[in-house]
Amino acid sequence: MNIYKYFALISTIFIAVIFQPTFLARLSLPGATPDLVIVMVCCWAVTKGPEVGAIAGFLAGFLIDVAPPGAHLMGIASIILALIGYAIGIVGGGPSRSFSRPLVISGVGATTFFLFRTISGVLVGNDISLYNFSINFLTQGIYAAALAIFVYPGVTFLDKKLGPVSRSDELRMK
Amino acid sequence: MRDSTRLRTVLAVLLLISLTLVALELRSSGTGFTKSIRTISFNIISPFQKSARSFTDSVQNFGSTWREIRIAREKVKDLESENLDLKEKLANTDENRRRAAELDALLKIAGLGTYEIVPARVIAIGAGQDYSWTVSIDVGSKDGITADMSVISGLGLVGRTISVADSTTLVALLADPSSKVGARIGGKSELGFISGNGLPGELEFEIFDPLSEINEGDRIVTWGSEGGRPFVSGVPIGEVIGVKSSPGLLSKTAKVKPFVKLSTLDLVSVIVEAPRIDPRDSLLPPMPVIPTPTPAITVSPSPSPSQK
């Protein structure tokens, strides 16, 4: 990871955080709101491995917590997302020819994040019906996989454009 | 081996920072350090959100006509630019007309209730992933907004302001699980509480008196807080769609459908000055009129004295 790639990482996540409430939330699609931020984190983690995954997750979580209209407890989202990014980097990181893998991983990542959020919501005392939960859970995974179709090529493109894969990166993948 | 140590260190540092944030926020409970982080980030991020919002608007206006325009571009190059121009104007006119109608409704409700309002647009909607319902609007402390003011739309109550930056304000909607509004049934004086449960189309109304009579179709208005903050009195909230009677409990609950569609908000306004006189039920929309059969009247000619 050189400095340009970190810059690309930060700006893509920032853009995702900006467009999440202003664009995707306003589409009012059936079921859950597509979660662009988690998809962005998953794609970076798949492309660059656990370390970048954890950093991307932390950044995304921090931005989600401080950006309006967020009003929940600061720091929770960054813990959860950093762990998800790390785990995805371990399980699914590394160069691969398969195109379906990042889609599946994004779907799994998004539903995991949604599960955590629901659990924290229930702990705070929200009354969530099983029906609503299962609809949102399913649509969340499907939307995430669909978003990854566009996001993953973008991330790998940025990764290739901004300098060759360094030796330390290759080592880290192994 | 060295590499996995480094990896663990990075993860540990990130988690530590996050935990520190959580601890700071819990300790100061929304004031002090974390509050200033929020205010700074609000001021930095909301301009981006505003421009993203206007971009989204133009995409939405444009989306339906995009295809036709692409064909036109292939055919005639100058016609294309003219076509695009006209179509965009048309789309904007519709959008503006809708917005004007919303403003009209807002002004009407403000006029009836003699509220002093500041109009605003919704710029970001909380995704609803964790069932919290908040939006941010494009007015702030510069426009005289402070926390705990009522927010209404042309149809009724939307929510209340919870935190304010220079030119953005966070609004907790009625459906937010933390929202609780003192309310009474329009026309009767039964008091109770409206609370949100994370669903936009369904609120819970808890009536204090278990023996009171409440029926489907009853309309609910705000009861009003001390000094009109956070809620002014007499704003319509919604209509009862179901009554749950639970014998043995000290109160009765009903399901209420809000008049305002909370998932598609656009123009709203913040009440900065409460009315001096309680408007009571005058803001409720007129009851649907049930047509009553009118007896057919046949006019029979009265016998008039025949002239001779």
Side-chain angles (χ1 to χ4, degrees):
Chain A
M1 284 290 279
N2 55 28
I3 185 92
Y4 300 110
K5 286 191 191 174
Y6 275 111
F7 185 71
L9 171 75
I10 293 171
S11 23
T12 47
I13 286 178
F14 188 75
I15 289 169
V17 171
I18 296 293
F19 273 89
Q20 180 72 35
T22 50
F23 181 63
L24 292 171
R26 269 160 47 88
L27 290 179
S28 43
L29 295 172
T33 310
D35 202 332
L36 179 61
V37 182
I38 180 81
V39 171
M40 197 62 89
V41 171
C42 290
C43 288
W44 276 103
V46 169
T47 321
K48 301 299 290 176
E51 186 183 328
V52 175
I55 293 172
F58 170 77
L59 269 175
F62 180 73
L63 283 176
I64 287 176
D65 282 343
V66 299
H72 29 76
L73 197 60
M74 202 182 286
I76 297 285
S78 43
I79 294 177
I80 298 171
L81 278 175
L83 286 174
I84 291 179
Y86 177 80
I88 282 172
I90 295 269
V91 176
S96 145
R97 297 268 161 161
S98 146
F99 190 75
S100 60
R101 200 175 62 170
L103 310 193
V104 173
I105 285 178
S106 297
V108 172
T111 46
T112 314
F113 186 44
F114 176 70
L115 197 65
F116 271 112
R117 286 189 133 178
T118 309
I119 291 171
S120 69
V122 169
L123 288 182
V124 176
N126 291 353
D127 186 19
I128 296 160
S129 76
L130 192 66
Y131 173 74
N132 266 318
F133 168 75
S134 39
I135 294 279
N136 283 0
F137 188 84
L138 269 179
T139 46
Q140 186 71 252
I142 294 166
Y143 290 149
L147 278 176
I149 296 176
F150 305 100
V151 174
Y152 182 68
V155 170
T156 45
F157 172 78
L158 278 177
D159 184 42
K160 270 188 199 134
K161 267 283 143 162
L162 298 172
V165 179
S166 67
R167 176 133 178 76
S168 67
D169 275 352
E170 268 176 15
L171 278 177
R172 210 161 290 148
M173 287 301 171
K174 278 169 191 168
Chain B
M1 200 60 227
R2 260 191 62 77
D3 222 52
S4 70
T5 339
R6 181 193 146 110
L7 189 55
R8 267 179 228 147
T9 321
V10 169
L11 188 66
V13 168
L14 293 180
L15 291 185
L16 262 180
I17 299 174
S18 314
L19 283 175
T20 317
L21 281 178
V22 174
L24 276 174
E25 174 117 317
L26 281 179
R27 207 173 136 227
S28 55
S29 63
T31 54
F33 180 63
T34 50
K35 165 116 186 172
S36 54
I37 291 187
R38 278 237 160 90
T39 315
I40 293 167
S41 77
F42 272 36
N43 286 336
I44 294 174
I45 294 174
S46 51
F48 283 100
Q49 283 186 335
K50 266 181 212 171
S51 40
R53 162 78 207 235
S54 52
F55 172 74
T56 314
D57 272 1
S58 48
V59 168
Q60 278 181 343
N61 290 341
F62 195 65
S64 53
T65 49
W66 174 241
R67 217 188 206 166
E68 298 158 42
I69 286 162
R70 243 176 58 187
I71 298 162
R73 181 188 287 157
E74 283 164 12
K75 281 180 182 164
V76 200
K77 199 119 204 200
D78 7 312
L79 252 183
E80 179 249 1
S81 65
E82 200 186 326
N83 202 4
L84 186 140
D85 223 48
L86 287 172
K87 273 190 178 150
E88 224 177 53
K89 255 182 209 156
L90 202 73
N92 278 333
T93 323
D94 276 358
E95 179 75 1
N96 289 340
R97 205 167 283 157
R98 182 185 64 77
R99 217 159 262 164
E102 273 183 34
L103 258 180
D104 252 11
L106 267 177
L107 283 176
K108 191 176 162 219
I109 207 169
L112 276 174
T114 60
Y115 304 128
E116 201 170 297
I117 60 169
V118 173
R121 286 189 68 192
V122 173
I123 51 175
I125 303 173
Q129 314 279 41
D130 48 0
Y131 299 91
S132 78
W133 282 84
T134 49
V135 296
S136 48
I137 54 176
D138 63 352
V139 293
S141 53
K142 279 182 189 160
D143 309 283
I145 312 292
T146 55
D148 284 338
M149 285 180 165
S150 313
V151 180
I152 59 171
S153 83
L155 295 171
L157 189 67
V158 170
R160 68 188 169 91
T161 60
I162 49 177
S163 75
V164 185
D166 282 355
S167 58
T168 7
T169 302
L170 206 57
V171 178
L173 302 183
L174 281 176
D176 193 84
S178 69
S179 150
K180 216 163 188 109
V181 188
R184 60 185 174 75
I185 304 170
K188 307 171 191 172
S189 296
E190 294 296 343
L191 297 178
F193 270 118
I194 288 269
S195 48
N197 53 4
L199 302 172
E202 202 181 289
L203 309 171
E204 213 148 87
F205 182 45
E206 198 179 317
I207 311 136
F208 296 148
D209 182 3
L211 299 175
S212 62
E213 200 169 301
I214 179 163
N215 304 314
E216 279 181 31
D218 276 352
R219 278 102 47 92
I220 313 291
V221 298
T222 55
W223 155 22
S225 330
E226 169 100 40
R229 313 204 30 191
F231 294 108
V232 294
S233 53
V235 183
I237 298 176
E239 197 176 38
V240 175
I241 51 169
V243 183
K244 211 182 343 177
S245 73
S246 34
L249 280 185
L250 284 177
S251 56
K252 205 174 192 179
T253 54
K255 275 183 185 167
V256 171
K257 186 175 182 294
F259 287 130
V260 182
K261 204 176 170 211
L262 293 171
S263 49
T264 56
L265 284 173
D266 187 17
L267 269 178
V268 295
S269 59
V270 184
I271 300 183
V272 286
E273 176 98 34
R276 273 179 290 277
I277 309 157
D278 185 348
R280 304 290 292 181
D281 303 336
S282 61
L283 268 55
L284 281 172
M287 269 289 195
V289 182
I290 303 154
T292 45
T294 44
I297 300 164
T298 43
V299 183
S300 49
S302 55
S304 54
S306 52
Q307 288 177 341
K308 282 187 179 170

